[in-house]
Amino acid sequence: MAISSAKQKALLWKGLALLSIGWALFVLWGCLNETGASGGLILRLFPFLRGFGYTDKLVHAGLHGVLASLLWWTGVTWAEAKNRRWTLRRALTVVLLCAAYGGAIELLQAGFTTTRGAEWLDELANTTGAMVAVLFWQTVKRWCFKKDS
């Protein structure tokens, strides 16, 4: 028995939503983990980054860029499944969600960890990573999926 296109689209956006939640929880764990200070977790996974300037800020931008990408794709597939347009307003909402989430994590670091603290530059990196990711996907969508006039 074949799954209808509508069901496939619904399964896709729900799967992407679960993946987004999973990634968000991984980011939360990594940022609140006491051994994650100064990019410790990432540096253990990718030791070649040791000594590279601003590694911590690049990690923040990368983590939130991935989160924004997952949320963007979730939103786009949701809109398609519901026969709605994916608007710039919805894309900006993804950036704002990631910025708010990053800010909340920074506050949690300051209040609940001993080796981490809230840094406004980390929040700037979080927001920048999300913004770059959303701008990238919006541009790809506009270039690759132009409607014939």
Side-chain angles (χ1 to χ4, degrees):
M1 188 163 145
I3 297 177
S4 72
S5 180
K7 282 190 178 184
Q8 287 176 336
K9 290 176 184 176
L11 283 173
L12 181 58
W13 81 258
K14 288 175 183 179
L16 286 168
L18 286 174
L19 193 57
S20 299
I21 291 168
W23 183 259
L25 291 173
F26 171 75
V27 170
L28 179 65
W29 173 80
C31 290
L32 295 181
N33 185 336
E34 295 289 346
T35 61
S38 301
L41 177 65
I42 297 298
L43 291 176
R44 279 195 304 281
L45 293 173
F46 305 103
F48 62 88
L49 291 174
R50 199 173 301 278
F52 186 75
Y54 304 104
T55 302
D56 181 56
K57 304 311 175 236
L58 292 174
V59 167
H60 277 270
L63 291 172
H64 284 78
V66 170
L67 180 60
S69 295
L70 289 168
L71 291 172
W72 188 91
W73 278 103
T74 301
V76 167
T77 55
W78 171 85
E80 190 174 311
K82 302 290 183 180
N83 290 322
R84 300 205 174 136
R85 285 186 62 229
W86 180 254
T87 61
L88 183 58
R89 184 177 182 181
R90 288 185 171 134
L92 290 174
T93 300
V94 169
V95 174
L96 292 175
L97 279 171
C98 289
Y101 187 63
I105 289 174
E106 290 301 313
L107 293 175
L108 289 171
Q109 284 179 337
F112 296 102
T113 67
T114 58
T115 60
R116 311 292 307 257
E119 290 185 41
W120 72 271
L121 282 176
D122 285 350
E123 176 56 17
L124 181 62
N126 298 339
T127 304
T128 301
M131 192 173 2
V132 167
V134 167
L135 283 172
F136 173 79
W137 291 118
Q138 285 291 118
T139 302
V140 167
K141 184 178 183 295
R142 189 175 22 158
W143 286 349
C144 295
F145 301 106
K146 286 184 182 180
K147 292 192 177 194
D148 295 328
S149 302

